[in-house]
Amino acid sequence: MLTYLIILLDDTSVSYCHYEANCKERRLINIDDLKAGIMFAMKENLNVQFVYPDNELPAAYLEAIDSIDHTDIKPIANGNGADVVVLGGWDDEVPEGATCIIHSSFDDLDGHVATINGWLRRMTRLNVVLTDVDKFKDSDIDCYKKTLDALVDGMVELFQQGRSAQLNLLTDRLMLAEMNNCRAGDSNVTLAPNGKFYLCPAFYYEDEKQSLGDLKSGLDIKNPQLLRLDHSPICRQCDAYQCRRCIWMNQRLTMDANTPSHQQCVVAHLERNASRELQLRLDEAGIRLTDSRPIEEMTELDPFNIVNRWK
Ligand code: SF4
């Protein structure tokens, strides 16, 4: 069921996920399309997430945005009042108590574990969005495992000091009893600055022609069941509940939006297993997180390799 509408306010709106928002030229959504998008969300009873560019918006836009309950996703350069702040880099001064997103390659993440451990003392939550999952190789497994182990050390120290913070790579899986994926095209769709709907911003930036209707003709998703978890034979058996299950990456890497790539599965399982390690270490230290659920030991990193068990 559709629950969220994401509205990209400008072609230069900040990226908050795996895609690259590669437009340099500003193109603000037409004010009438913005108002029609808000009306669409009201009629369909959708929560709205607005995604902002670096620059300030005209007063009429801010007035329209304030006419509906919403979440603001903003770049740090224009981050006042944001619910989610997208950081521009590792040297940014992070806002106290904020929920933030940082884009990083695996290599950069490995080199900034200490930065993240420091940030988590100020933030409520950090989402790390890895930008090169598509290039991840089996020979990178040990290195990413080491990075995650170092992040686990930092989290244990944080909790031992009586503090707490969320880091998507490690803490999301602890609290989940079922899949909690992106669900683009299933629970959410995106309205782009051209007034057309897309499965998610990534499909818009990749090729504007991939639209799913517009505000006048209506939203038209062909065979929506083919995007859902219950139609994904591998994912629906999996317990890496925190995995993004990114349908855009699936489409690029396997040519099917509902079939995961080896890379995505291995990365998600390394994070699942590191979450388990964090859980065990916190248990040992006598620290119990409310709602934390036991995670079973698992050595296989790609569910595709154990597909016979599910037949
Ligand atoms: S780890 Fe793989 S099988 Fe599991 S949810 Fe993610 S993409 Fe699907």
Side-chain angles (χ1 to χ4, degrees):
M1 196 178 83
L2 211 55
T3 320
Y4 292 96
L5 177 66
I6 296 153
I7 300 186
L8 298 179
L9 292 166
D10 193 284
D11 270 353
T12 61
S13 288
V14 69
S15 164
Y16 61 89
C17 200
H18 293 296
Y19 64 96
E20 199 180 331
N22 45 13
C23 281
K24 301 276 178 282
E25 305 238 332
R26 287 183 194 165
R27 171 169 60 161
L28 203 51
I29 189 169
N30 182 293
I31 187 74
D32 292 332
D33 285 344
L34 175 62
K35 288 178 180 171
I38 290 170
M39 190 55 70
F40 173 85
M42 284 174 174
K43 282 188 189 153
E44 301 290 327
N45 203 17
L46 306 178
N47 297 304
V48 183
Q49 299 179 339
F50 291 106
V51 191
Y52 289 71
D54 269 356
N55 53 296
E56 285 291 332
L57 299 180
Y61 282 72
L62 299 176
E63 200 180 309
I65 288 168
D66 276 341
S67 68
I68 188 165
D69 274 347
H70 64 274
T71 300
D72 286 330
I73 302 173
K74 295 182 166 187
I76 192 161
N78 177 25
N80 269 351
D83 299 290
V84 179
V85 176
V86 182
L87 302 174
W90 296 105
D91 294 330
D92 282 348
E93 187 65 30
V94 300
E96 186 87 40
T99 292
C100 295
I101 292 173
I102 180 83
H103 290 89
S104 176
S105 64
F106 287 96
D107 277 354
D108 265 359
L109 183 67
D110 190 51
H112 290 90
V113 169
T115 309
I116 290 181
N117 289 339
W119 281 353
L120 290 173
R121 281 162 172 70
R122 293 172 57 82
M123 286 177 185
T124 301
R125 177 178 173 88
L126 178 66
N127 281 354
V128 175
V129 175
L130 292 161
T131 50
D132 50 357
V133 174
D134 55 335
K135 298 188 188 74
F136 191 85
K137 300 186 288 304
D138 283 359
S139 54
D140 298 324
I141 288 175
D142 284 346
C143 184
Y144 190 39
K145 207 166 163 306
K146 261 185 21 224
T147 308
L148 290 168
D149 284 347
L151 288 168
V152 167
D153 289 344
M155 287 301 282
V156 172
E157 204 179 306
L158 187 78
F159 280 100
Q160 279 175 327
Q161 290 166 357
R163 298 164 185 255
S164 70
Q166 297 174 9
L167 174 62
N168 65 328
L169 306 178
L170 295 178
T171 56
D172 285 5
R173 178 60 184 79
L174 299 184
M175 308 299 170
L176 292 170
E178 58 183 25
M179 280 287 172
N180 183 28
N181 320 123
C182 161
R183 297 181 61 194
D186 174 22
S187 81
N188 63 82
V189 287
T190 292
L191 178 65
N194 62 1
K196 295 181 181 176
F197 292 111
Y198 292 83
L199 287 175
C200 81
F203 287 92
Y204 169 64
Y205 285 109
E206 186 177 68
D207 184 355
E208 275 195 42
K209 291 195 213 80
Q210 304 183 90
S211 70
L212 312 163
D214 57 36
L215 288 160
K216 287 197 184 76
S217 61
L219 176 65
D220 180 23
I221 304 180
K222 308 264 189 261
N223 296 314
Q225 74 280 6
L226 298 182
L227 302 169
R228 290 201 318 250
L229 178 67
D230 60 0
H231 278 64
S232 177
I234 298 179
C235 296
R236 73 179 177 217
Q237 302 284 354
C238 175
D239 81 343
Y241 298 145
Q242 86 296 342
C243 175
R244 295 309 292 153
R245 229 174 71 75
C246 174
I247 61 163
W248 172 70
M249 210 185 303
N250 290 350
Q251 184 71 53
R252 281 175 63 208
L253 299 178
T254 70
M255 291 184 286
D256 181 87
N258 220 359
T259 302
S261 64
H262 174 69
Q263 296 92 310
Q264 190 168 188
C265 290
V266 170
V267 168
H269 276 76
L270 289 169
E271 291 156 6
R272 173 209 181 274
N273 293 349
S275 304
R276 180 173 187 273
E277 180 60 27
L278 173 62
Q279 189 172 58
L280 295 175
R281 295 267 306 273
L282 291 177
D283 267 0
E284 267 170 34
I287 299 165
R288 293 273 137 96
L289 302 185
T290 332
D291 293 335
S292 174
R293 295 154 193 278
I295 304 170
E296 279 177 31
E297 184 168 14
M298 185 172 186
T299 48
E300 182 53 63
L301 294 177
D302 185 347
F304 191 76
N305 295 337
I306 52 169
V307 89
N308 282 333
R309 287 188 208 164
W310 306 327
K311 284 183 181 164

